Amino acid sequence: NVHVLELDPSEVELRPARPPRAVAPTSRLAREGDAVAAVNGGFFGPRGEAIGLLRIDGAELFPASEGAPWVLGIPERGPLRFERRTSGTWDEVRHALAGKPLLLRGGRVVPQDLGGPRHPRTAIGQRADGVRVLLTCDGRARESLGLSVGELAH
């Protein structure tokens, strides 16, 4: 099952959320954040610690790392930014969330190893007209096996 949500940045704010302690279901974070929609994103350890850069409302909660080098930057205004950051902070954006890998740039698949196993996946992007696109795929179930990284890119 693949789900796609298109967001007009002039109408909806895109921002990461994090529970105050440990981990929490995405549905609870959405409810507590008064969100219209929510998806999983980034990588987190067993105690809820982010693996890679996590910045919310200008506050850096976790530093950049080699473990999740690609980072989504969400500025106050303007297009989303996707950059490789393995150290330091990112003061030019309001929110930042690490992930991997970068799949598309300029509408073209970024050359890389696109194999790997099928898993549940979450992806974010931005169309040329500025609309932000969130895509999720269920997985790990008989009726929904998930996607490989290559299938997600295409």
Side-chain angles (χ1 to χ4, degrees), residues 1-152:
N1 298 331
V2 175
H3 309 276
V4 177
L5 179 63
E6 296 179 340
L7 304 170
D8 181 338
S10 68
E11 297 176 9
V12 179
E13 179 187 11
L14 181 62
R15 68 184 309 273
R18 181 172 181 272
R21 298 177 303 287
V23 295
T26 304
S27 56
R28 186 175 113 205
L29 291 174
R31 192 172 45 256
E32 291 173 356
D34 214 15
V36 296
V39 299
N40 286 326
F43 294 97
F44 295 86
R47 294 176 303 281
E49 70 279 12
I51 299 170
L53 182 60
L54 178 60
R55 180 181 181 89
I56 300 176
D57 292 325
E60 184 179 318
L61 304 176
F62 291 90
S65 75
E66 287 282 343
W70 284 105
V71 182
L72 162 68
I74 306 170
E76 286 282 341
R77 287 179 228 43
L80 298 176
R81 295 173 59 183
F82 299 92
E83 294 186 12
R84 185 173 171 80
R85 292 186 168 258
T86 56
S87 64
T89 186
W90 198 357
D91 294 332
E92 300 83 17
V93 297
R94 180 173 182 184
H95 310 295
L97 178 66
K100 61 181 178 180
L102 181 68
L103 299 174
L104 302 170
R105 185 165 306 275
R108 297 187 183 274
V109 174
V110 174
Q112 61 185 321
D113 176 11
L114 295 176
R118 289 181 163 183
H119 287 295
R121 305 279 181 187
T122 301
I124 185 167
Q126 186 162 2
R127 297 188 327 214
D129 65 2
V131 170
R132 295 163 178 186
V133 180
L134 298 173
L135 181 144
T136 64
C137 175
D138 299 333
R140 297 192 186 115
R142 184 177 300 162
E143 64 277 0
S144 183
L145 300 175
L147 295 172
S148 70
V149 173
E151 290 168 330
L152 181 61

